[in-house]
Amino acid sequence: MAKDTAESDQISSLLAIGRRISGVLELEQISALYMGWFAEQAASEAAAAAAEEEDGNNPEVPAGVNRVELALAALGLRTATRIYRVPRTYYSWPLYERALSVGAPSAEHMCKTVVLANTRWRSNNNSSSSSDGAEAEQAEKYVCVVVQYTHTISTQALVDAVNGRTGGYPQPVSRKRFNFRLADERAACALTGFGHNGVAPIAWPVRGVPVVVSAAIAGLRPPVIWLGAGDVDYKMAVPVGALVAAAGCIVADVSSPIQA
């Protein structure tokens, strides 16, 4: 009992220190210095990774990670992004420990890419007769949301974010035509080409699926997030503004903090 209490006290102390450090990093001048350091590290690591590649692929990393790296390069983000390999036990750790392990400024900087399906979507049989038509229908049925682990998605707010603003719904339609739920794992894997805990918001084989970034993420300082990089054992850190601009993401207030 005494040991458990001591360990709990140690964790509480570490969390308190982490909050103080996060508070310092939120200061405008310090945040700018951090991002300058981050950019130098990202460029150096990208150059080192390029030296190990063969015909644009690194044989030492999983295929999904190579896809993400190629997509980052096509978007002009490869030299601005840091990619990490994490231990197999990574997801058994508390969120704050995961954040510490990858050098994130806080747990709020830890994000995930979530695939949701509109269960009220109905197929237009005429448009699904070709591969382009089938792809267009998937872009209508699904939406990708980048959200913090510390937040929960508001599906009602998500409807407002995509209704009338995406290729699938360029004009507003009745809210009754929407009911967003988590896509099942098999459908998400087929759509993204990535497995569980490895989903990135880019490099999907299906084009046109809208990507929504929670507005809470856009307000982070320093403005960088950590998320999946194509494989469960790899994560990437990317500047928020650069990702939104390059990938054409929708920034919207679609999440709220999880109540402790």
Side-chain angles (χ1 to χ4, degrees), residues 12-56:
S12 296
S13 297
L14 285 172
L15 290 174
I17 293 170
R19 284 192 291 270
R20 294 192 194 100
I21 294 172
S22 297
V24 172
L25 288 171
E26 287 177 358
L27 298 173
E28 184 175 353
Q29 186 175 1
I30 303 302
S31 176
L33 288 171
Y34 178 93
M35 293 308 295
W37 169 82
F38 181 92
E40 291 177 0
Q41 295 298 309
S44 174
E45 291 165 6
E52 298 177 0
E53 292 177 355
E54 298 176 4
D55 298 324

Side-chain angles (χ1 to χ4, degrees), residues 109-126:
H109 288 76
M110 304 295 286
C111 298
K112 55 186 174 181
T113 303
V114 181
V115 181
L116 293 102
N118 179 8
T119 63
R120 292 180 183 161
W121 173 86
R122 292 295 177 266
S123 173
N124 178 346
N125 292 327
N126 292 329

Side-chain angles (χ1 to χ4, degrees):
M1 184 67 177
K3 180 181 178 181
D4 290 343
T5 301
E7 289 180 350
S8 178
D9 289 343
Q10 289 175 347
I11 291 172
S12 296
S13 297
L14 285 172
L15 290 174
I17 293 170
R19 284 192 291 270
R20 294 192 194 100
I21 294 172
S22 297
V24 172
L25 288 171
E26 287 177 358
L27 298 173
E28 184 175 353
Q29 186 175 1
I30 303 302
S31 176
L33 288 171
Y34 178 93
M35 293 308 295
W37 169 82
F38 181 92
E40 291 177 0
Q41 295 298 309
S44 174
E45 291 165 6
E52 298 177 0
E53 292 177 355
E54 298 176 4
D55 298 324
N57 288 300
N58 184 343
E60 299 300 318
V61 303
V65 179
N66 272 317
R67 274 177 42 220
V68 168
E69 291 197 40
L70 289 171
L72 287 169
L75 292 170
L77 297 176
R78 182 61 191 94
T79 58
T81 302
R82 303 185 70 185
I83 295 179
Y84 306 75
R85 184 171 185 176
V86 297
R88 282 297 176 94
T89 55
Y90 178 81
Y91 279 104
S92 68
W93 303 344
L95 183 61
Y96 78 89
E97 192 170 339
R98 281 183 263 160
L100 286 172
S101 73
V102 294
S106 73
E108 282 70 31
H109 288 76
M110 304 295 286
C111 298
K112 55 186 174 181
T113 303
V114 181
V115 181
L116 293 102
N118 179 8
T119 63
R120 292 180 183 161
W121 173 86
R122 292 295 177 266
S123 173
N124 178 346
N125 292 327
N126 292 329
S127 67
S128 61
S129 58
S130 68
S131 59
D132 288 343
E135 187 172 81
E137 287 197 343
Q138 287 179 307
E140 293 176 11
K141 181 178 180 180
Y142 295 98
V143 63
C144 165
V145 181
V146 179
V147 64
Q148 294 151 289
Y149 275 98
T150 56
H151 280 57
T152 184
I153 297 171
S154 166
T155 55
Q156 292 302 308
L158 184 59
V159 171
D160 294 332
V162 301
N163 193 5
R165 297 181 61 186
T166 67
Y169 299 94
Q171 300 298 325
V173 298
S174 171
R175 293 177 64 87
K176 293 181 180 179
R177 292 176 58 179
F178 294 92
N179 183 48
F180 284 117
R181 292 291 182 267
L182 283 176
D184 69 69
E185 192 168 336
R186 181 177 298 180
C189 183
L191 186 73
T192 67
F194 303 123
H196 184 60
N197 284 333
V199 181
I202 58 172
W204 293 18
V206 174
R207 297 166 297 175
V209 176
V211 179
V212 178
V213 172
S214 169
I217 291 173
L220 285 171
R221 293 292 179 272
V224 59
I225 55 173
W226 277 253
L227 67 169
D231 184 88
V232 65
D233 293 332
Y234 286 78
K235 307 302 162 196
M236 65 179 177
V238 58
V240 180
L243 175 65
V244 168
C249 305
I250 298 169
V251 177
D253 187 7
V254 296
S255 73
S256 58
I258 296 173
Q259 299 301 315

